[in-house]
Amino acid sequence: MLQLMGSGASPFVRKVRVLIAEAGIDGVQEVDVAASPMGGEDRVNTANPLGKIPALVREDGPTLYDSNVICRFLDDRSGAGMYPQARLWEVLTLEATADGIMEAALAIVYEKRFRPEELWWQPWFEAQWTKVARALDAVERSWMSHLQGRPDMGQVAVACALGYLDLRHGDRDWRAGRPELAAWFEVFSARPSMTATAAPAA
């Protein structure tokens, strides 16, 4: 039995959960845990010395961590084809772009959650959001054709990133000026794999 350690609000965990749903993978037990850059649960830190989620605990080998590693493992194991060889480099680059969006968006959340308000630095918030905005503009400008067709991990990662922006940064209105991406997300987010893994409202 595989154990997926994660949290319902994490977009990186959601990537894995969407893959599991899209691929129809059985035999993965989800374990809800609390991770934090300031030190999370001992079982998280034991599974992943970096203290991050997701982590995939295996009976027959070391725990796997980093969402990309876990997704590649589960895709290879299931033969789901979420990393199609014919366009592998494009899929990986789109996934990396989405991961960067998540990381910058999460950095803003962490700054507000773990630093006293009097120490918040607005230029830091704006610098992180600039990364998000540049990446979204790049997807709107150059990657929309890659978001079409059979779902792959590039598409899944972008959808999870956009869902996280809605969850934590709804006031920023990422849809403004990006009509094609907004329309695509409306359709993709209605997939059963996405609705089943939607984060609880904060």
Side-chain angles (χ1 to χ4, degrees):
M1 172 71 71
L2 298 169
Q3 288 189 330
L4 177 65
M5 303 178 71
S7 166
S10 167
F12 295 100
V13 174
R14 190 181 189 189
K15 277 175 54 182
V16 180
R17 296 179 68 211
V18 171
L19 166 60
I20 290 171
E22 289 284 344
I25 298 172
D26 296 320
V28 180
Q29 177 188 8
E30 295 188 17
V31 180
D32 192 54
V33 296
S36 165
M38 303 300 290
E41 293 184 39
D42 287 344
R43 56 181 172 167
V44 176
N45 299 330
T46 298
N48 178 357
L50 300 175
K52 294 182 178 182
I53 52 175
L56 187 69
V57 182
R58 302 182 294 167
E59 295 178 346
D60 59 348
T63 296
L64 302 180
Y65 43 86
D66 185 275
S67 63
N68 294 351
V69 174
I70 294 172
C71 287
R72 290 297 295 269
F73 170 80
L74 291 175
D75 182 66
D76 183 74
R77 175 182 169 123
S78 65
M82 298 293 280
Y83 292 92
Q85 189 63 40
R87 57 181 191 279
L88 177 62
W89 303 115
E90 288 78 9
V91 170
L92 291 175
T93 300
L94 196 53
E95 183 179 18
T97 302
D99 285 353
I101 292 171
M102 298 178 201
E103 289 164 0
L106 187 59
I108 297 173
V109 172
Y110 281 167
E111 176 78 4
K112 291 184 175 181
R113 185 171 296 171
F114 296 108
R115 284 172 65 87
E117 186 172 356
E118 63 271 17
L119 297 179
W120 291 357
W121 192 33
Q122 194 62 34
W124 169 262
F125 296 145
E126 297 311 314
Q128 299 311 307
W129 189 256
T130 296
K131 297 176 187 178
V132 172
R134 278 201 311 260
L136 293 175
D137 288 343
V139 175
E140 176 81 11
R141 181 178 62 250
S142 304
W143 289 93
M144 292 308 303
S145 63
H146 296 275
L147 294 179
Q148 308 307 318
R150 185 179 181 275
D152 58 39
M153 279 311 300
Q155 297 176 34
V156 169
V158 170
C160 290
L162 298 179
Y164 188 70
L165 296 182
D166 281 347
L167 178 69
R168 298 296 192 215
H169 301 287
D171 59 324
R172 295 274 188 169
D173 190 16
W174 66 262
R175 291 171 176 79
R178 305 177 185 101
E180 291 188 46
L181 185 57
W184 173 83
F185 180 62
E186 183 176 0
V187 173
F188 196 91
S189 62
R191 295 182 68 83
S193 62
M194 291 292 291
T195 58
T197 59

